[in-house]
Amino acid sequence: MDARLRRVNKEIADCKNDKTSNIQIDLVDESPFHLKGSFPGPEGTPYEGGRFEVDIVIPESYPFQPVKMKFITKVYHPNISSASGAICLDILKDAWSPVLTLKSTLISLQSLLCSPEPNDPQDAEVAKHYTTSKASFEETARYWTQVYAGGPGQRKGKNPSKGSVHDDIAIAGLERVHVERFENLGFDRNKVIDVLRRLNYRGSNVAQITDDRVVEELLK
């Protein structure tokens, strides 16, 4: 058994024996070098109550080269791509050390959910939402946790009976009244959602973006 395999097997066993961290690691297709990690969302954050899954690939030179990780579960967070699950975290790049383990790295991802770094974003649109209106960002992140990570409850003060229309607007982190205003001008709902999201039409930014600017983008 080579050193890499011994190391990975030990780390998986250590994680299974740890009953307190709630960090879980499973094999993918019986391969010890392709794994799926998962952990609960941190308490006191918009991710609380969700369970987040991470794809893990062990490189040939592990542990001297960092593991490759990306979120399987969709997460609304400045340092995680909402499209691909790619993660912006220094220990997955140049700050990696061979003393780090799979479990400690997953715990670092869990900590990242507690402490977004919008000035070093992986997802620029989400980072703009965070810096423009943290309350609105947290509401959207909480909604994503409910939809994608099995989180509890429903979006506060919103009517879930609106179905997929409500979902699309909530998932984009927008206000229904703003979307409907431009939709009532005859524009397609999906186009309106896309344009308002790209313009970061949220919070104090709304007053800074004229209707003419929005319509100009909608006509492109």
Side-chain angles (χ1 to χ4, degrees):
M1 185 185 298
D2 69 17
R4 177 176 67 141
L5 184 56
R6 279 199 305 274
R7 162 95 179 222
V8 171
N9 283 342
K10 182 180 184 303
E11 290 192 33
I12 293 172
D14 288 347
C15 201
K16 285 184 177 178
N17 292 331
D18 179 2
K19 307 300 182 185
T20 59
S21 67
N22 285 320
I23 303 292
Q24 186 174 333
I25 298 177
D26 299 298
L27 302 184
V28 175
D29 298 328
E30 303 304 315
S31 168
F33 304 126
H34 187 195
L35 308 168
K36 181 177 73 175
S38 66
F39 55 82
E43 293 184 5
T45 72
Y47 313 100
E48 181 176 3
R51 186 85 188 172
F52 297 87
E53 295 185 341
V54 177
D55 183 78
I56 305 169
V57 175
I58 310 294
E60 287 189 9
S61 55
Y62 182 80
F64 303 103
Q65 183 181 352
V67 293
K68 296 178 181 178
M69 292 188 175
K70 66 177 180 179
F71 275 91
I72 299 169
T73 308
K74 289 178 74 68
V75 189
Y76 198 75
H77 188 285
N79 307 110
I80 301 163
S81 169
S82 56
S84 69
I87 303 161
C88 181
L89 183 64
D90 56 359
I91 63 168
L92 294 177
K93 300 173 184 174
D94 51 358
W96 171 260
S97 165
V99 302
L100 294 170
T101 64
L102 298 174
K103 185 175 77 173
S104 67
T105 305
L106 288 169
I107 290 173
S108 293
L109 292 188
Q110 190 180 40
S111 298
L112 181 66
L113 297 188
C114 296
S115 306
E117 295 288 347
N119 294 326
D120 185 25
Q122 179 71 40
D123 194 309
E125 286 188 5
V126 177
K128 287 176 184 176
H129 190 180
Y130 181 91
T131 55
T132 300
S133 175
K134 188 178 178 183
S136 173
F137 159 82
E138 289 183 346
E139 188 177 6
T140 305
R142 193 173 294 111
Y143 188 74
W144 278 49
T145 299
Q146 177 197 344
V147 172
Y148 299 116
Q154 68 183 55
R155 204 165 181 245
K156 190 175 181 181
K158 305 294 178 181
N159 182 0
S161 66
K162 296 297 182 182
S164 61
V165 170
H166 160 76
D167 290 347
D168 290 345
I169 294 171
I171 285 169
L174 299 169
E175 293 296 327
R176 181 178 178 80
V177 64
H178 296 155
V179 173
E180 287 186 340
R181 184 158 91 244
F182 294 101
E183 187 185 13
N184 289 339
L185 295 177
F187 293 104
D188 175 74
R189 179 185 300 270
N190 290 332
K191 182 72 179 288
V192 172
I193 291 172
D194 180 60
V195 166
L196 294 186
R197 191 192 72 247
R198 285 191 289 104
L199 289 175
N200 191 25
Y201 200 82
R202 307 175 178 108
S204 60
N205 261 18
V206 172
Q208 309 300 319
I209 302 170
T210 66
D211 287 0
D212 287 347
R213 169 79 191 285
V214 176
V215 170
E216 181 183 336
E217 291 296 319
L218 287 166
L219 289 172
K220 286 182 179 179

